[in-house]
Amino acid sequence: MRYLKILSLVVLSLVLMTACKNKDNNRGDNDAVVGEWVLVSWNEETPEFNVYISFAADGSFAIYQQVWSLDYELFAGTYTISGDTLKGTYADGTKWASEYKFVKSDNTLTLVDSADVTGVYEKCTIPEEIIAEATTTRSAEVVPFL
């Protein structure tokens, strides 16, 4: 009987350690992309547009893009990570145009979409004037970058 109690405690301990480990891994996944990033390469070319992305540890993101107009536009929402795949949903419930495979090394974050389009981002600090200038886009004609 005593052997059964000890065995039960050992099994319970293993289950609890595994559950805690999974929570830490999920938080660690978000840590992989957390920070502020600027697009420096689009399909191995210097982009003719500007995109800054901020990923927060709480799973929220903000994209500041100067793609379709001279002004910066703001798109915000939430993101999730599963393995090496990054997915997002905008605040209005629209999903990103693609899921992205990501690789982070040193100060770069590489995102590859389902059509093998590759964006390379460098760690940065998004300038305050861009954040202040950005307006939440309400036009259905403006397409978000991701």
Side-chain angles (χ1 to χ4, degrees):
M1 184 67 145
R2 182 173 182 190
Y3 174 74
L4 186 57
K5 286 182 182 181
I6 292 173
L7 182 61
S8 296
L9 286 174
V10 169
V11 169
L12 180 61
S13 296
L14 290 173
V15 169
L16 289 175
M17 287 190 310
T18 303
C20 291
K21 185 176 180 184
N22 286 340
K23 284 184 180 181
D24 290 341
N25 283 345
N26 289 339
R27 186 173 44 242
D29 285 347
N30 279 356
D31 288 345
V33 298
V34 167
E36 297 180 345
W37 307 90
V38 60
L39 181 68
V40 294
S41 174
W42 185 248
N43 266 348
E44 299 181 7
E45 294 183 15
T46 302
E48 295 181 12
F49 46 87
N50 298 309
V51 177
Y52 291 88
I53 302 176
S54 174
F55 291 107
D58 67 359
S60 64
F61 72 86
I63 298 173
Y64 302 90
Q65 69 179 42
Q66 189 184 40
V67 178
W68 310 109
S69 74
L70 296 176
D71 298 320
Y72 277 91
E73 297 162 315
L74 170 62
F75 293 90
T78 59
Y79 72 94
T80 58
I81 293 176
S82 178
D84 65 348
T85 302
L86 177 65
K87 302 179 208 179
T89 303
Y90 293 102
D92 68 359
T94 305
K95 294 192 181 303
W96 287 351
S98 176
E99 296 179 359
Y100 295 83
K101 295 290 182 188
F102 75 91
V103 176
K104 182 179 176 269
S105 61
D106 296 327
N107 290 324
T108 62
L109 175 66
T110 302
L111 301 180
V112 181
D113 71 11
S114 57
D116 287 330
V117 175
T118 302
V120 178
Y121 298 80
E122 286 183 353
K123 197 105 164 138
C124 71
T125 299
I126 300 173
E128 288 298 322
E129 56 271 12
I130 290 174
I131 294 171
E133 173 189 320
T135 58
T136 303
T137 303
R138 293 175 182 83
S139 171
E141 296 173 9
V142 177
V143 178
F145 187 69
L146 294 179

